[in-house]
Amino acid sequence: MREAKLEPNVISYSAGISACEKGDQWQRALALLSEMRDAKLEPNAIFSYNAGMSACEKGEQWQRALALLGGMREVKLEPNVSATMLGSARARRASSGSGRWRC
């Protein structure tokens, strides 16, 4: 994007995170979330964080999915009930069979 003299924004980052989620690239999805914050862009609770949590779910990274949910507050985003339930459900699914999930 920068080569084309286009500045990335929340929408382009969120689309990239979503593409990483669909391509089973949870590490890259998390890197884009971090890069987004470094660029002083606020990740969107619905698109950015949900796509990040979904990428972690697919990569069976339930601890990271829960960390993203908790990290929403750090960037002054208040997780709503659906985001909290979504994060918890994704973490449970990602950890199923691992024997590590504790309530």
Side-chain angles (χ1 to χ4, degrees), residues 17-98:
I17 294 165
S18 182
C20 291
E21 176 257 323
K22 288 172 180 50
D24 295 325
Q25 297 292 317
W26 66 267
Q27 300 97 331
R28 186 65 185 134
L30 294 182
L32 284 173
L33 266 173
S34 179
E35 187 179 310
M36 197 175 176
R37 284 186 229 119
D38 292 344
K40 306 289 187 237
L41 294 171
E42 287 189 32
N44 180 293
I46 295 171
F47 299 111
S48 311
Y49 277 98
N50 282 348
M53 284 189 284
S54 185
C56 290
E57 171 198 1
K58 287 184 176 181
E60 297 181 3
Q61 299 295 312
W62 62 269
Q63 300 98 330
R64 294 178 197 272
L66 287 178
L68 281 179
L69 186 62
M72 290 175 73
R73 288 203 172 117
E74 290 177 25
V75 293
K76 309 269 191 266
L77 287 174
E78 212 36 58
N80 60 25
V81 172
S82 62
T84 304
M85 290 173 61
L86 178 66
S88 296
R90 286 182 169 159
R92 278 194 302 276
R93 263 200 316 270
S95 69
S96 64
S98 70

